[in-house]
Amino acid sequence: MALKHFLDIDALDEKTLRAIIDLAATIKRKGRVPKSLGLRAGAVLAMIFEKPSTRTRVSFEVAMHQLGGQSVVLSPQDMQLGRGETLADTARALSRYVDAIMLRTGPHATLTELAANATVPVINGLTCQSHPCQVMADVMTFEELKGPIQGRTIAWIGDANNVATSWVHAAARFGCKLRIASPREFAPAPALLAWAKKEGADIKVGEDPLAAARGADCVVTDVWVSMGDGDEKKRIAAFRPFQVDGAVMAQAAKEAIFMHCLPAHRGDEVTADVIDGPQSAVWDEAENRLHVQKAILAWCLSPASLGSEGAGTKRKGAKRRLGSAKARGAKR
Ligand code: CP
Ligand code: NVA
């Protein structure tokens, strides 16, 4: 049986991603996960935070609680990891106790190393490279407010950072158009754009926020200085012309929405009148982290299929763990 990691949107096929979004909408509507998924009561999620978090931490903790399980929150300074124990050994040990591991870290390689050595599913809770749980919540929010995202236009204004990368992945998998406006120095990596082109995604990159926003159904931005970014002064100066304000929103479609993963800096990447105004969907977006992460957890942990399961990676080293109820029960 394949181990179902949730590492990145580009690592999963369209059918799986669609099934997760649809399940999230069902969970939100019904207030519970369908019994048919056979989620085991008492499942435990370990969450390792190497960077701060408000939404990711609380929404995953609440999600596990409401699913009938629980979570353990860890930070490297409280773990032997902080005293030199290897990540691989940490992954192997944690896999003997818990049902899934969520990691928020800097280097993406840390996430993939954890996943390569864990024998339970691993979830990306943000790396410097990507933030797939966030963009799944964004897609859900868009569809809730504006209908199917396929063929619709999303404008990304500002830093082509981790959240933007997950949007590039989403454009390829969900078939939305993506218009990116960034200063040249902070534009998406050529390799990422080459991947998107190969996948047939409709993405245009430029340096004019007004042009990117023109006719868009949704305008999205994020902080100018992400966790771990240096050179704050230089970044702020470069991004100043990329603020999402009333003039940018006026270029978008009449009923366009505004999204931001939060935390936000009013007066920098977005003006208060936009983020606190009638087009802002940021609180629905924050709420939907909870619903979409329940669906992601259900996909990772359920022995039943939500849709296609072809995107999982092969389990290493085999016979133990998640495969049988007996092996899972032996954890406690
Ligand atoms: N959007 C988001 O991931 O928020 P936190 O950093 O608070 O988890
Ligand atoms: N791009 C931001 C997202 C925070 C949720 C960061 O990485 O800090």
Side-chain angles (χ1 to χ4, degrees):
M1 179 183 161
L3 196 55
K4 293 183 282 185
H5 296 307
F6 188 82
L7 300 182
D8 262 317
I9 290 175
D10 67 338
L12 299 174
D13 60 45
E14 191 187 331
K15 203 171 153 195
T16 301
L17 294 163
R18 172 49 56 198
I20 292 172
I21 296 284
D22 291 349
L23 177 61
T26 304
I27 291 169
K28 186 172 183 177
R29 200 173 57 247
K30 295 194 169 169
R32 60 177 169 77
V33 173
K35 280 206 174 68
S36 57
L37 287 172
L39 270 187
R40 190 176 65 77
V44 180
L45 173 71
M47 295 197 272
I48 307 173
F49 283 97
E50 296 188 337
K51 290 178 167 188
S53 167
T54 298
R55 281 144 287 269
T56 304
R57 174 179 172 162
V58 177
S59 55
F60 266 113
E61 280 209 69
V62 172
M64 284 306 290
H65 180 74
Q66 292 179 349
L67 289 172
Q70 53 189 298
S71 49
V72 179
V73 180
L74 302 159
S75 62
Q77 62 268 31
D78 303 329
M79 300 167 74
Q80 299 292 4
L81 190 58
R83 295 182 58 247
E85 184 170 21
T86 68
L87 193 63
D89 286 354
T90 304
R92 292 178 189 117
L94 287 181
S95 298
R96 297 298 180 104
Y97 305 130
V98 303
D99 298 85
I101 305 169
M102 191 233 74
L103 174 66
R104 169 168 285 197
T105 187
H108 199 73
T110 303
L111 177 80
T112 50
E113 189 186 345
L114 183 80
N117 290 283
T119 52
V120 296
V122 171
I123 298 171
N124 179 355
L126 178 147
T127 68
C128 285
Q129 188 174 301
S130 57
H131 196 3
C133 292
Q134 179 65 55
V135 172
M136 290 295 278
D138 293 1
V139 170
M140 177 184 179
T141 307
F142 181 92
E143 295 204 325
E144 212 171 57
L145 297 171
K146 305 290 298 172
I149 198 167
Q150 188 173 15
R152 310 293 289 282
T153 303
I154 310 297
W156 178 276
I157 313 289
D159 190 13
N161 61 13
N162 44 7
V163 181
T165 295
S166 290
W167 264 111
V168 170
H169 296 160
R173 291 291 180 264
F174 290 99
C176 55
K177 297 173 188 160
L178 188 60
R179 305 291 176 251
I180 300 174
S182 310
R184 192 166 300 171
E185 198 182 336
F186 301 102
L192 175 67
L193 294 176
W195 171 85
K197 192 171 176 194
K198 186 169 67 62
E199 296 288 318
D202 181 346
I203 298 178
K204 289 195 173 74
V205 180
E207 295 175 64
D208 180 352
L210 297 176
R214 203 156 294 143
D217 300 294
C218 174
V219 176
V220 199
T221 191
D222 188 11
V223 291
W224 292 340
V225 184
S226 284
M227 293 178 280
D229 280 341
D231 225 344
E232 195 165 323
K233 270 197 179 148
K234 182 180 159 203
R235 295 181 73 90
I236 292 173
F239 286 118
R240 188 56 66 194
F242 291 80
Q243 182 183 67
V244 176
D245 58 9
V248 171
M249 290 306 293
Q251 293 296 317
K254 199 160 169 276
E255 309 274 302
I257 56 170
F258 169 77
M259 292 205 282
H260 187 311
C261 66
L262 307 176
H265 298 81
R266 289 168 177 78
D268 280 348
E269 73 272 8
V270 61
T271 54
D273 61 311
V274 170
I275 194 168
D276 300 321
Q279 288 170 285
S280 177
V282 297
W283 305 116
D284 289 335
E285 187 185 0
E287 177 186 336
N288 285 337
R289 293 290 302 275
L290 174 65
H291 307 297
V292 97
Q293 283 158 201
K294 281 184 188 169
I296 290 167
L297 287 162
W299 175 72
C300 288
L301 294 173
S302 171
S305 171
L306 305 190
S308 164
E309 301 208 331
T313 50
K314 268 278 182 234
R315 283 171 64 201
K316 284 181 58 166
K319 292 188 219 68
R320 297 178 301 106
R321 310 257 74 95
L322 282 172
S324 72
K326 204 170 150 208
R328 289 157 62 88
K331 281 180 190 164
R332 45 197 46 80

